[in-house]
Amino acid sequence: MIFVGGVLFHNDFANEESCDLDGLLEHPALVSASLSLKATPEKKFSVSEASSEGLTKSKHVYVFQREYATVDPMFVDWVGTDEATTCVGVAIRNRDNGITSVGHMDSPNIVELGLSQMLSKLADHKLDTEIDVHLIGGYEDIPPMLANQTRSRRNFEEGYSRPLCAKIIEVLGKSALKFHVQSLFVLSHNTRRDGEGKTYPIFTGLMVETLTGAITPAIFDETTRCPDELVRRIRQSASYEDPRWKGRLLDTYDTETDRFIIAPCSWTARFVRMTSYLQQFTDSEVLHNCSTSPYAEAPDFVYNQRRQWDYLIKHSDWTDVFRMGQPRVFTRDANGGWVMVEQEQ
């Protein structure tokens, strides 16, 4: 069930035109929330920024695309994600105990199981649990020449963001749990246009303060997208070929022990050959062949792609990375950073 402003939102799932999503986007309370969020300065989260603000002792958890993490405010101060252009960052929080889960959804195909994973340690199967929901990311990525056509004429050319947002709202609405949608900063609310009519997202990330539930638009840098940045980025792509992760978000973090337990994902020789082929592309070709939103990516998109491909070429056998098919485990050091636990041979 979806609530807005404490009132049950009446859904009409028989309508193929996704009026439920449109109705939420037009809801006065959510329009007001979007305007407030739009006026909020985007936080740049980095080790240097944290140091200058006296936050070096703060503990945070970062989530990559197709990952999720459920955190306890006893252990974690902040949890967030970014790099969501056509993707959507989903934050859900138990009002009673502050347990917070953030997922980075990139396809309608992972929404149902993905939300179930996120809720597994959040609601504890109690139907009376009150859950706050924030969605940031996804924009009007429909090509300008299609934007004014009727939906029936668009057919499948409706972009990536809208079907994803519609599926998230559908699953939340059909659930017996009580979801209080606080932020719906997606699609029209999260879109800006340049002089040529090209569309871009306004915000691509979010950060949740676990103690209060406050949400802030955010971007992270290489120093805070950790631990094991490259391996986790590679898992996102390789998981499409690994049947163990079909329809699921990638397991990353253990709530009870405050450790990163990065579940293994395999990659094939064909996948490695493809990366070698892609490495020969120009930067422009990389953007247009490897992104769903080539005009909206961050400046380091191509750089990060090439780093992943270099790593894959050097580590072509996935069992050399995930020894004996076991997860890669990281624990916090005294300063809140991450140290890898050596695996037994």
Side-chain angles (χ1 to χ4, degrees):
M1 295 180 285
I2 291 177
F3 290 78
V4 181
V7 178
L8 180 65
F9 181 79
H10 294 286
N11 301 291
D12 177 17
F13 291 108
N15 194 324
E16 297 178 347
E17 303 297 320
S18 299
C19 286
D20 305 295
L21 173 59
D22 293 333
L24 281 170
L25 287 168
E26 295 170 1
H27 193 290
L30 293 177
V31 170
S32 177
S34 291
L35 290 173
S36 296
L37 199 61
K38 189 181 295 186
T40 304
E42 186 176 60
K43 183 175 180 60
K44 296 181 180 179
F45 203 80
S46 68
V47 169
S48 58
E49 291 278 344
S51 179
S52 66
E53 296 180 19
L55 299 175
T56 50
K57 296 297 182 179
S58 293
K59 297 179 179 179
H60 82 281
V61 167
Y62 177 82
V63 175
F64 279 102
Q65 182 177 341
R66 211 177 178 85
E67 290 184 341
Y68 81 102
T70 303
V71 304
D72 189 323
M74 291 179 59
F75 301 129
V76 177
D77 301 302
W78 305 89
V79 56
T81 189
D82 70 347
E83 300 185 320
T85 55
T86 56
C87 300
V88 175
V90 180
I92 55 178
R93 181 178 183 271
N94 186 319
R95 288 182 172 181
D96 293 333
N97 56 25
I99 301 294
T100 304
S101 190
V102 169
H104 189 129
M105 305 279 189
D106 63 358
S107 165
N109 297 330
I110 63 169
V111 170
E112 196 154 2
L113 275 177
L115 283 171
S116 177
Q117 290 173 274
M118 294 173 67
L119 287 163
S120 62
K121 295 179 181 177
L122 196 80
D124 197 27
H125 306 293
K126 297 178 181 178
L127 295 182
D128 60 344
T129 302
E130 306 279 345
I131 301 171
D132 286 330
V133 179
H134 299 270
L135 274 64
I136 292 183
Y139 68 110
E140 292 184 335
D141 59 319
I142 304 170
M145 68 285 298
L146 296 173
N148 295 321
Q149 293 184 7
T150 63
R151 183 167 302 279
S152 59
R153 289 181 62 192
R154 289 181 203 162
N155 295 323
F156 297 105
E157 296 178 326
E158 57 181 344
Y160 294 94
S161 298
R162 186 177 182 87
L164 174 57
C165 293
K167 186 64 178 180
I168 293 170
I169 295 303
E170 175 191 333
V171 174
L172 293 178
K174 288 182 176 179
S175 173
L177 293 170
K178 299 176 181 178
F179 294 104
H180 296 266
V181 178
Q182 305 291 346
S183 307
L184 189 62
F185 200 78
V186 299
L187 300 176
S188 58
H189 296 310
N190 191 35
T191 300
R192 62 182 177 86
R193 287 175 170 79
D194 65 14
E196 298 177 354
K198 292 178 181 176
T199 58
Y200 305 84
I202 297 171
F203 296 133
T204 59
L206 61 89
M207 185 164 60
V208 183
E209 184 179 8
T210 59
L211 190 61
T212 65
I215 189 168
T216 306
I219 55 174
F220 297 74
D221 72 359
E222 197 172 313
T223 65
T224 52
R225 292 174 182 148
C226 55
D228 222 13
E229 179 208 1
L230 282 178
V231 170
R232 290 165 65 192
R233 286 187 183 276
I234 289 166
R235 283 197 322 164
Q236 179 269 316
S237 299
S239 63
Y240 287 98
E241 292 190 339
D242 189 331
R244 291 174 295 183
W245 296 109
K246 184 177 181 180
R248 298 181 60 204
L249 291 171
L250 294 159
D251 291 328
T252 302
Y253 172 83
D254 185 67
T255 310
E256 284 77 18
T257 62
D258 187 35
R259 295 186 301 167
F260 267 87
I261 302 179
I262 300 168
C265 181
S266 63
W267 46 84
T268 64
R270 189 194 71 84
F271 184 74
V272 176
R273 287 195 301 272
M274 178 61 70
T275 62
S276 299
Y277 172 71
L278 291 171
Q279 192 66 290
Q280 309 307 312
F281 282 16
T282 66
D283 287 0
S284 177
E285 289 171 333
V286 170
L287 267 173
H288 285 83
N289 284 276
C290 301
S291 171
T292 57
S293 52
Y295 299 109
E297 295 293 355
D300 60 354
F301 176 83
V302 174
Y303 166 72
N304 287 328
Q305 290 292 318
R306 295 198 187 281
R307 290 169 59 228
Q308 294 173 65
W309 299 336
D310 284 340
Y311 186 96
L312 270 170
I313 292 167
K314 293 176 183 177
H315 302 86
S316 57
D317 187 343
W318 72 275
T319 60
D320 290 338
V321 178
F322 294 98
R323 301 288 179 84
M324 299 180 67
Q326 296 301 304
R328 292 163 67 89
V329 180
F330 292 79
T331 59
R332 289 194 192 269
D333 61 23
N335 295 317
W338 298 101
V339 179
M340 187 172 185
V341 176
E342 293 297 327
Q343 299 170 324
E344 294 183 2
Q345 300 298 319

